Amino acid sequence: MVNCIDNSGAAVVECIKVLKQKRHARIGDRIITVVQKQRSFGPESGPGGSVSIAAANKVRRGDIRHAVVVRTAKKYQRPDGSVVKFDDNACVLINKNGEPIGSRLSGIVGSELRKKNWSKILSLAPLHL
């Protein structure tokens, strides 16, 4: 199970395949996921609110989507010798063209995304470490 840190509507997704690899996913790898849990957008998105849940959520439970891993709980040693480890595993949902589905990210992302040409995700992130 992987946390989804964008505002696409998914809260938790499950990785079912790592693309172009025969190993576990690292930061910057593209994966195929299934949405397991939807994010609720508070009481204003209810029946009497101004925003409907269907309009706020761009994805639904059970949808199969592509994603990019942006944080891993496994330690990763960078070429300069520093070791990076995050508290959780997190991803950002993308479409088939590689553009993020959500328009906002919450939380930090790994700077390894720069080497793997995910600059659009880096520009949306509040902080990259």
Side-chain angles (χ1 to χ4, degrees), residues 31-125:
I31 59 176
I32 298 178
T33 61
V34 176
V35 178
Q36 294 292 328
K37 192 174 177 186
Q38 278 185 301
R39 191 176 308 278
S40 61
F41 286 105
E44 68 274 358
S45 63
S50 60
V51 179
S52 68
I53 294 175
N57 289 346
K58 298 176 184 81
V59 296
R60 299 180 60 86
R61 186 179 183 277
D63 282 357
I64 297 174
R65 299 286 176 149
H66 287 229
V68 176
V69 177
V70 295
R71 291 195 304 248
T72 57
K74 178 73 176 163
K75 291 179 183 175
Y76 177 74
Q77 186 164 6
R78 292 183 173 156
D80 64 352
S82 62
V83 177
V84 179
K85 177 183 180 295
F86 295 99
D87 291 336
D88 64 342
N89 299 316
C91 70
V92 174
L93 295 182
I94 57 174
N95 60 16
K96 298 280 185 178
N97 299 330
E99 299 158 354
I101 294 176
S103 58
R104 202 177 297 148
L105 298 185
S106 61
I108 62 175
V109 299
S111 62
E112 285 81 11
L113 296 172
R114 179 170 288 126
K115 285 183 274 187
K116 298 198 177 182
N117 297 327
W118 294 109
S119 57
K120 178 71 175 171
I121 295 173
L122 278 172
S123 65
L124 292 175

